[in-house]
Amino acid sequence: MRRPLWTRSGATLPSGFAAFLALGASAAAWGAALPWLRVRYDLGTGGGEEVISAYNLGALVAILACGLLSRRLRPRPVLAGSLVALGGGLTAAALAPTWAFLLVGAVVGGVGFGGAVLVLNTGYAAGPRGVVMVNLVNAVFGVGAIAAPLLVAEWDLPAVLVAIACAAVVALPVVAGPVGAHTPTPPVDRATVVAIAPFAVIGFLYAGVETSAGAWVSTHLTWTGTDPDAAARMTALFWAGLAVGRVVISLVARSPEVIVPASFLLATAGLVTAVNPALAPIGYTLTGLGLAPIIPTALVWLARITPHAHLAGSALLTSSMLGNVIHPVLVGTVTTRDHPATIPLAITTYATLGVLAALWTSRHRRIPVALSTT
C-alpha cells in the first residue's frame, strides 16, 4: 500500500494546518456568539443553543455515514466534499436572513466538519509518527478555537463565519496529502464491540464537558455580570487550555490508562473552581487543560488494544458527536439566569461521570505491557 503523501513530503502540511484551524474556529464560534445571536434574531435571554446542536447534528450524520459506508467511500472525495460543505454551510449561515435559514446553514457546515474531522484524524494517525501528528494538528484545531471567540468579540458573527469559510477553501490542497489509500473496514466481531463500548461512553461524556463548556462559558460569564465582549474573550481561555494541553501532553505522556482518568479529574476540578465568578476564567482554563488529551489519547489507547483501530476511532468520534448534539440542550434545560452557577455545576456532572468511566476502563481495558512503552 502506498504511504500517505505527508509521510514522504511536508508539501500539504500547511493546508492541513489551515483545515484544522478552520475546524477549530467553526466549533468555537457558535458558543461565543450566542449573546450576539440572541439579539440579532430576537431569541430571548436563554435561547439560541439550538444552533450548536444543529451544527453537531450535521457532524454526527457525516461521521455515522462515513463509518457505515467505509467499504464504499473513498477518503479523498469525502474530504474534498467535506471542506466544501464546511465553507458553503458557514457562508450560508453568515448570510442567513432568518433563524431557520441559519440553522440549515449550520447543519450543512456541521456535515462538512464531521467528515473532515474523521478523515483527517484517521489519516494523520496512520502515519509512522501518528501520535505526534495527531496531537500537533489538534493543537492547531485549538488555535482556531482560541481565535474564534476573540474574533467574535471584535467583529460581527457573519464576518467571522466568512473568514472561517475562506480558511476551509485554502485547506483544499490537503486532499492530496494525509488521507492515504482506501482500505476496507475489517469485519466486526464480539470482542471488538466489547473493547470499544467503554470508549464510546468516554467519548460521550467528554463531549458533555467540551461542547457544553464551549457553548455556555460566555453565557455563564455574562450572567455573572461580565460584559458580553469581555465574556467572549474569556471564552478563549478555555480553548487556549485545550490547545496548550495537547502540545504539553505529547512531551510528558506515557500511559493512556493514567492520562485519561487524570485528565477528567483536572477538568472536574476546573469546573468546580468556575462556580466562583471571580475564579471562573481560571477554572475554565484548567478545564480546557484537563480535556485536551482525552480524545487523542483514547484513540491511541484503542489502537493498542484492538486490531480494528479505524472502526474503533469512528465509534469514539460518533459517540462524541452524539454527545455534542444532546448535551448543550440538556444543560440549557437546567440552567437559569437567576442562578448562573447551575451552568458549571451541570457540566461538572459530566466530568465526574467521565472520571468514573475512565477509571473503570483503565482497570478493565489495559494495554499489553509489550505495547505500553511503544
Side-chain angles (χ1 to χ4, degrees):
M1 183 178 69
R2 184 170 67 88
R3 291 185 300 167
L5 179 60
W6 73 265
T7 66
R8 297 181 282 110
S9 169
T12 62
L13 195 56
S15 57
F17 286 165
F20 276 90
L21 194 70
L23 293 170
S26 64
W30 301 111
L34 278 180
W36 185 90
L37 289 170
R38 289 170 185 142
V39 174
R40 170 67 176 80
Y41 293 98
D42 193 22
L43 304 176
T45 59
E49 67 273 7
E50 300 90 352
V51 70
I52 300 168
S53 292
Y55 186 77
N56 288 302
L57 176 62
L60 173 62
V61 169
I63 291 176
L64 277 173
C66 289
L68 295 174
L69 302 175
S70 59
R71 291 178 175 271
R72 300 181 181 180
L73 296 176
R74 303 285 173 176
R76 297 186 192 282
V78 170
L79 180 55
S82 296
L83 291 173
V84 170
L86 176 64
L90 294 180
T91 301
L95 302 176
T98 65
W99 179 242
F101 195 94
L102 185 143
L103 291 178
V104 172
V107 171
V108 174
V111 169
F113 175 90
V117 162
L118 178 61
V119 175
L120 285 170
N121 271 297
T122 54
Y124 280 112
R129 302 181 65 195
V131 174
V132 174
M133 290 303 301
V134 168
N135 276 284
L136 181 60
V137 294
N138 278 281
V140 176
F141 180 101
V143 172
I146 296 168
L150 298 177
L151 291 175
V152 168
E154 300 298 331
W155 303 348
D156 288 338
L157 180 65
V160 176
L161 295 181
V162 170
I164 298 171
C166 290
V169 173
V170 170
L172 279 171
V174 78
V175 174
V179 295
H182 173 68
T183 55
T185 302
V188 181
D189 55 17
R190 182 177 179 182
T192 300
V193 175
V194 171
I196 291 173
F199 291 91
V201 174
I202 287 174
F204 184 74
L205 293 172
Y206 168 89
V209 184
E210 186 200 274
T211 305
S212 298
W216 285 97
V217 166
S218 181
T219 299
H220 175 227
L221 294 171
T222 302
W223 285 357
T224 59
T226 304
D227 177 77
D229 288 343
R233 295 186 189 97
M234 290 180 187
T235 301
L237 294 173
F238 167 73
W239 298 106
L242 278 169
V244 172
R246 283 168 180 159
V247 174
V248 171
I249 201 65
S250 64
L251 303 176
V252 301
R254 289 297 180 269
S255 172
E257 298 149 318
V258 174
I259 294 166
V260 175
S263 297
F264 269 118
L265 189 60
L266 178 58
T268 302
L271 288 166
V272 172
T273 302
V275 172
N276 185 332
L279 299 177
I282 296 173
Y284 286 125
T285 303
L286 290 175
T287 302
L289 283 169
L291 291 176
I294 292 176
I295 292 299
T297 304
L299 288 170
V300 174
W301 194 349
L302 274 169
R304 294 179 179 180
I305 66 171
T306 175
H308 305 275
H310 180 77
L311 178 62
S314 297
L316 175 63
L317 292 176
T318 297
S319 64
S320 180
M321 288 295 105
L322 180 62
N324 289 343
V325 174
I326 295 173
H327 295 309
V329 175
L330 289 180
V331 171
T333 63
V334 299
T335 58
T336 64
R337 188 182 185 95
D338 293 335
H339 299 91
T342 54
I343 292 177
L345 289 175
I347 303 171
T348 299
T349 303
Y350 295 123
T352 303
L353 292 173
V355 173
L356 298 176
L359 287 172
W360 187 95
T361 305
S362 179
R363 181 175 179 180
H364 294 87
R365 297 289 179 267
R366 300 194 67 81
I367 298 169
V369 175
L371 296 177
S372 63
T373 58
T374 59

